[in-house]
Structures are given as C-alpha cells and as structure tokens.
C-alpha cells in the first residue's frame, strides 16, 4: 500500500499558470477530486484518471467536508494515487492545511503542491504590482467570510500600510468598506475588483473606497472576485474596463 494524497493547486483559471509539479501529479493520478473553482481545462493533463467533482457550485450543490475526507481516505487506502485539485493555492483559503492534518491523523501522507493564488494572478493581469516599491510595503491576504461569521478587524487592517487583497468579499463588501473607512483609510483609496481573474472572461471594475459598493453594483460584480485595496490598485488603468471610464 502506498497511501499518499496530493493536495494540488490548480491556479486561478488560466491553465498555463499550472506548475510543472502540478502537471506531473495530475499525470500520475488514478483519481482526481476536483473543486468547483478549478478550470476543467487542466484535466487534459490526466487523461486516464477518474474525475470526481466535489465542489459546491458546478455539478453537486455541496459536498460535505467529511465526505471528501472519507473519499480521500478510501482511495488512498486502496493504494490509488489521488490528487485533490483545488483552485488557486491549496493553502490560501483552500483548506489544504486542514486536509493534510486530517490525513496525517489517519496515517496518510499528504504532499502539498503550490498553485498561483487568485489575488496574485488577478492583480498581475490588471497591471497591478501588489508590493510596488515606494507605494506599498507589503500585501495582506484576507477573507471577508469567516467560518464562525465573526467580523474581521478591518479598522486594524486599515492601519497596516499594506495592500489588502480580499477574498470572498463580494457579498460582504459593505462590511469591508465600513470597517476600512472607520479605520481611517482615506475615502479616495483606489480599489480594483477583479472577477474571473486570469480567465478569458476576466473583468475588472476600478473604483475607490467610498464608491466601491455603488460601482460594484452597477458593474454587476459577481463571485469569484478578489478586491485589491490600496494605492497600487490605481496602477494599470490603461487596461481597465471600468464603469468610471464608461460613465
Ligand atoms: N485557494 C483559492 C481561494 C479559494 S477561496 C486561491 O488561492 O485562489 C474562494 C475565493 O477565491 C473566491 O471567493 C474569490 O474571492 C477568490 N477567487 C478564486 N478564483 C478566483 C478567480 N479566478 N478570480 C477572482 N477571484 C477568485
């Protein structure tokens, strides 16, 4: 028995952003459990594997995490080479760490393979340099959606002097905006909202902190999208398809 599960990042959508390690893992896979934000085009790298969708969108409405755990364990114990393919990077809001811990507790080794996370790809594809020297002294990746529904300390985040990249923020934009304004981030702080980053259907809406809600609504911003908030979010405007310009 060769129980091992590969927890692999599929990147943000563009299949060319897959790592060589991810391609090799897919090539060797007997079974692939695929999450909903994974571009199915990457499956060309595993022509013989059994593909099981386990995402919340796509095919099945919602696959409980416990079921996914059991599925991984079953195939691993059968000695199958199992790849658990996740959107972006498995450990950036992807439960990769949780799954690796759970597998370890059950005697199964997990190997994590990085992917390019949506926030990085989205920013780059919009011409935004997240840690542009002299403009931002760092970048903070945060989720607006927490497991226990607790609110993030947006006021504190407003004080970091780093670019904020907000995941799962489309339906919580009011909280993000209110918290950051309360925290002292200027109303004019540039915001880039990037939908379907790195895919042909990528769209971006450029705005500012005080107008982001209205602009996002008028733009029809939909998930999956990342929000980039900070001075660097004004970069790359020549490539923008923004409401502000068409208005
Ligand atoms: N592990 C993933 C994140 C999963 S959480 C990663 O590293 O990218 C899901 C959130 O990721 C979405 O709500 C959205 O905020 C973001 N996301 C994932 N794919 C995206 C894409 N192609 N474009 C924009 N945002 C994306």
């Amino acid at each position: 028995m060769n129980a091992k599960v590969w927890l692999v990042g599929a990147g943000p959508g563009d299949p060319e952003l897959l790592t060589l390690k991810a391609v090799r893992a897919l090539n060797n896979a007997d079974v692939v459990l695929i999450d909903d934000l994974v571009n199915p085009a990457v499956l060309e790298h595993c022509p013989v594997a059994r593909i099981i969708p386990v995402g919340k969108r796509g095919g099945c409405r919602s696959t409980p995490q416990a079921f996914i755990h059991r599925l991984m364990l079953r195939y691993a114990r059968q000695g199958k080479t199992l790849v658990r393919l996740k959107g972006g990077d498995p450990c950036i809001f992807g439960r990769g760490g949780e799954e690796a811990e759970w597998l370890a507790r059950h005697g199964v080794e997990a190997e994590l393979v990085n992917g390019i996370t949506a926030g990085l790809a989205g920013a780059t594809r919009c011409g935004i340099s997240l840690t542009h020297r002299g403009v931002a002294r760092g970048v903070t990746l945060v989720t607006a959606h927490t497991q226990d529904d607790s609110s993030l300390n947006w006021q504190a985040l407003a004080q970091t002097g780093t670019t904020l990249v907000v995941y799962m923020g489309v339906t919580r934009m009011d909280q993000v905006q209110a918290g950051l304004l309360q925290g002292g981030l200027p109303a004019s702080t540039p915001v880039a909202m990037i939908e379907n980053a790195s895919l042909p259907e990528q769209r971006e809406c450029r705005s500012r902190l005080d107008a982001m809600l209205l602009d996002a609504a008028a733009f029809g911003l939909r998930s999956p999208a990342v929000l980039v908030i900070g001075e660097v979010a004004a970069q790359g405007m020549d490539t923008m398809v923004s409401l502000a310009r068409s208005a």
Side-chain angles (χ1 to χ4, degrees):
M1 194 180 69
N2 177 23
K4 182 163 173 181
V5 171
W6 295 76
L7 301 169
V8 177
D14 178 351
E16 293 203 324
L17 291 180
L18 270 181
T19 64
L20 293 176
K21 214 182 237 311
V23 169
R24 187 163 59 82
L26 285 171
N27 234 304
N28 294 333
D30 298 312
V31 182
V32 177
L33 305 187
I34 177 170
D35 257 6
D36 45 18
L37 282 174
V38 173
N39 184 349
V42 304
L43 298 175
E44 73 164 273
H45 297 291
C46 48
V48 297
R50 175 161 181 215
I51 312 293
I52 306 177
V54 292
K56 294 191 184 68
R57 301 165 221 225
C60 19
R61 260 181 57 73
S62 175
T63 309
Q65 191 67 20
F67 177 76
I68 296 173
H69 282 163
R70 283 201 302 276
L71 215 52
M72 288 194 291
L73 203 56
R74 190 204 310 156
Y75 284 114
R77 285 183 172 158
Q78 286 172 7
K80 303 274 193 229
T81 301
L82 179 95
V83 169
R84 170 95 168 93
L85 195 56
K86 292 165 171 286
D89 185 273
C91 291
I92 301 293
F93 310 123
R95 295 187 172 185
E98 269 171 60
E99 291 181 5
E101 278 176 4
W102 189 89
L103 288 164
R105 280 203 302 278
H106 290 79
V108 176
E109 190 191 342
E111 178 144 346
L112 285 149
V113 178
N114 283 122
I116 295 183
T117 190
L120 299 189
T124 302
R125 290 290 169 94
C126 292
I128 295 170
S129 152
L130 289 170
T131 62
H132 199 98
R133 192 150 64 104
V135 183
R137 53 179 62 174
V139 58
T140 307
L141 309 184
V142 285
T143 174
H145 188 98
T146 49
Q147 198 177 17
D148 59 1
D149 225 22
S150 62
S151 172
L152 229 86
N153 190 344
W154 293 106
Q155 285 96 321
L157 284 169
Q159 302 294 323
T160 59
T162 66
T163 305
L164 301 178
V165 179
V166 184
Y167 289 67
M168 292 174 265
V170 174
T171 57
R172 308 275 166 119
M173 229 183 277
D174 50 344
Q175 291 170 20
V176 177
Q177 184 193 48
L180 292 176
L181 285 171
Q182 278 163 26
L185 214 56
S188 60
T189 304
V191 175
M193 298 171 262
I194 308 156
E195 184 185 285
N196 284 315
S198 85
L199 288 162
E201 53 274 29
Q202 171 174 316
R203 298 196 306 151
E204 55 184 288
C205 173
R206 303 293 187 124
S207 182
R208 34 184 271 167
L209 189 56
D210 57 355
M212 63 188 283
L213 277 184
L214 286 176
D215 281 350
F219 184 83
L221 186 78
R222 299 184 55 172
S223 181
V226 285
L227 319 176
V228 178
I229 304 173
E231 288 308 316
V232 296
Q235 293 175 342
M237 296 285 270
D238 47 332
T239 61
M240 78 180 183
V241 186
S242 89
L243 189 77
R245 181 179 277 187
S246 59

